Amino acid sequence: MSAAVEPPRAFTAEDYASRMARVVDQAVEVGLDGVVVAPGPDLVWLTGYQPTAITERLTMLVLAPGATPTLLVPVLERPDAEAAVGAPALTVRDWTDGTDPYAAAFEILRTEGQYGMSDATWAAHLLGLQRVLPGSVFRALGECLPMLRAVKGPDELERLVAAGAAADATYEAIVGLPFAGRLETEVAADLARLLREHGHEQVDFTVVGSGPNGANPHHEAGDRRIEPGDAVVLDFGGLMYGYGSDTTRTVSVGEPTQEVRDVHDIVRHAQQAAFEAVRPGVSCQEIDRVARAVITEAGYGEQFIHRTGHGIGVTTHEPPYLVEGEQQALRPGMCFSIEPGIYLGGRFGVRIEDIVVVTEDGGRRLNNTDHRLHLVG
């Protein structure tokens, strides 16, 4: 780990209690009687609890107005649940193998309630709850509370800043290593190693798209040997202190063609224009429109084939999404990627991505490495 990175303050039971209370308030605002949270990123964010066992056994957190948050777990997992940081703010209840877990859930849910349910819930568990509570309605949290985790607090921002700095250090190190003559998988392995050396506990992806493979935005590093003259898309990230990094730069192996230079400049200008458009009150779709307008005006609109960005937090992809049709207004504390790209099938691709946080009067980049086309060996 970089010596300059100090571990952040650990989240406390009070932090988790505050999050749970805030979610209850948000649920009431949209007409819900409560929220049901299955194992996954929402449960980790709300309680600090991440079951280690296979999740075919029903585990769920129930948050409802006027009630103590209740976590229902299999009896064999109760000790782990009670050891979670957020456990002091919870009532932990259990059920035993051989009994009906949905009957246990019935006791803590309203028989005719309106509930938001986390998107990570297994279909089998949703069907089981519907069986014992036929009068209740369950709605996807991604639909009714899409911005549940979108606005980050200061302690969360501290983690995202650290993750972004570690990703920057990884990029600065990777461009000093050889590219020409090596396999994409070898460069990807270096990226993963460097992310861990700079403090990441988890590596989620290491895209190395060389030459024609760069025209696939989510290309998985393969056995193509990188050649002089290739444009190479490097997109990498993971979790540090439980929060995500995600950055993309496009490099050239030796001297690029003029076309690669021109396309790279267009993407760089689109990324900058979108960043400059960030401020509270602007809609998510407007950031997408700004980036897309630059690329379309340059004649490459049909080659920009994905949304401009996605949120980031305890996962590397989460709301808000910067895409046409998303009218959610930006708010201070929201964090997301800005990553326009141009993809020329069979030839090459270019993408530039930073994580950006909305401030009181604009935006702040959490990635600060050079956007200019870097030449590597």
Side-chain angles (χ1 to χ4, degrees):
M1 184 188 304
S2 171
V5 177
E6 292 293 333
R9 178 188 71 85
F11 293 128
T12 66
E14 290 75 18
D15 293 326
Y16 291 114
S18 176
R19 292 178 188 176
M20 287 187 275
R22 189 163 75 246
V23 169
V24 170
D25 290 343
Q26 293 173 359
V28 170
E29 288 176 5
V30 298
L32 296 175
D33 294 306
V35 170
V36 179
V37 183
D42 290 334
L43 185 62
V44 173
W45 182 74
L46 285 164
T47 68
Y49 176 52
Q50 184 166 5
T52 56
I54 298 172
T55 55
E56 83 266 8
R57 292 182 172 94
L58 179 67
T59 296
M60 68 178 202
L61 170 70
V62 178
L63 304 176
T68 300
T70 299
L71 181 63
L72 178 65
V73 298
V75 67
L76 75 165
E77 295 178 22
R78 181 165 187 150
D80 289 339
E82 290 179 331
V85 177
L90 298 167
T91 294
V92 179
R93 301 180 63 167
D94 60 49
W95 61 275
T96 304
D97 280 355
T99 65
D100 183 356
Y102 307 107
F106 176 85
E107 297 178 5
I108 54 178
L109 294 169
R110 289 180 53 176
T111 55
E112 295 185 353
Q114 296 268 343
Y115 289 99
M117 175 161 279
S118 56
D119 296 358
T121 306
W122 281 27
H125 295 326
L126 173 59
L127 293 170
L129 292 173
Q130 290 175 327
R131 171 175 57 81
V132 298
L133 295 162
S136 292
V137 175
F138 297 93
R139 298 169 55 195
L141 273 181
E143 169 194 323
C144 52
L145 287 177
M147 300 299 138
L148 183 75
R149 307 192 312 265
V151 177
K152 272 60 180 184
D155 287 342
E156 294 180 285
L157 290 175
E158 182 182 4
R159 287 162 169 77
L160 286 160
V161 168
D168 283 355
T170 295
Y171 175 71
E172 290 168 351
I174 198 72
V175 296
L177 298 179
F179 278 68
R182 302 180 70 206
L183 302 180
E184 291 176 342
T185 51
E186 293 174 329
V187 177
D190 282 337
L191 282 170
R193 171 181 58 80
L194 288 165
L195 282 169
R196 291 191 176 95
E197 286 180 2
H198 288 286
H200 280 60
E201 66 265 11
Q202 177 177 312
V203 176
D204 286 347
F205 49 88
T206 52
V207 172
V208 180
S210 65
N213 290 339
N216 176 357
H218 283 172
H219 171 70
E220 291 191 9
D223 59 2
R224 183 181 184 277
R225 197 167 295 279
I226 300 171
E227 301 175 358
D230 280 348
V232 184
V233 177
L234 304 172
D235 182 358
F236 50 94
L239 299 183
M240 182 170 174
Y241 304 127
Y243 280 73
S245 70
D246 186 0
T247 188
T248 307
R249 295 291 184 266
T250 303
V251 301
S252 176
V253 184
E255 191 64 30
T257 66
Q258 188 59 47
E259 184 181 26
V260 168
R261 286 193 182 276
D262 291 344
V263 169
H264 192 277
D265 279 346
I266 293 164
V267 174
R268 182 163 56 87
H269 291 144
Q271 209 272 351
Q272 179 65 24
F275 170 72
E276 291 175 357
V278 172
R279 61 185 182 277
V282 172
S283 70
C284 290
Q285 69 179 1
E286 182 60 23
I287 308 304
D288 180 80
R289 289 172 177 176
V290 168
R292 205 165 295 278
V294 173
I295 291 174
T296 299
E297 184 177 353
Y300 291 95
E302 293 185 0
Q303 284 74 47
F304 182 10
I305 56 177
H306 55 71
R307 64 198 175 200
T308 292
H310 58 81
I312 191 167
V314 293
T315 59
T316 48
H317 282 213
E318 62 184 45
Y321 297 106
L322 308 186
V323 66
E324 183 65 31
E326 179 50 79
Q327 299 181 32
Q328 173 70 40
L330 300 182
R331 295 169 53 190
M334 284 184 172
C335 292
F336 46 78
S337 66
I338 296 181
E339 51 179 307
I342 294 175
Y343 308 94
L344 304 179
R347 299 170 62 202
F348 68 90
V350 173
R351 183 165 67 255
I352 299 172
E353 174 187 16
D354 294 324
I355 298 303
V356 172
V357 57
V358 183
T359 64
E360 294 295 333
D361 57 1
R364 171 192 173 194
R365 282 191 171 95
L366 301 189
N367 295 108
N368 295 288
T369 52
D370 199 337
H371 286 185
R372 289 176 297 181
L373 183 62
H374 193 102
L375 275 56
V376 298

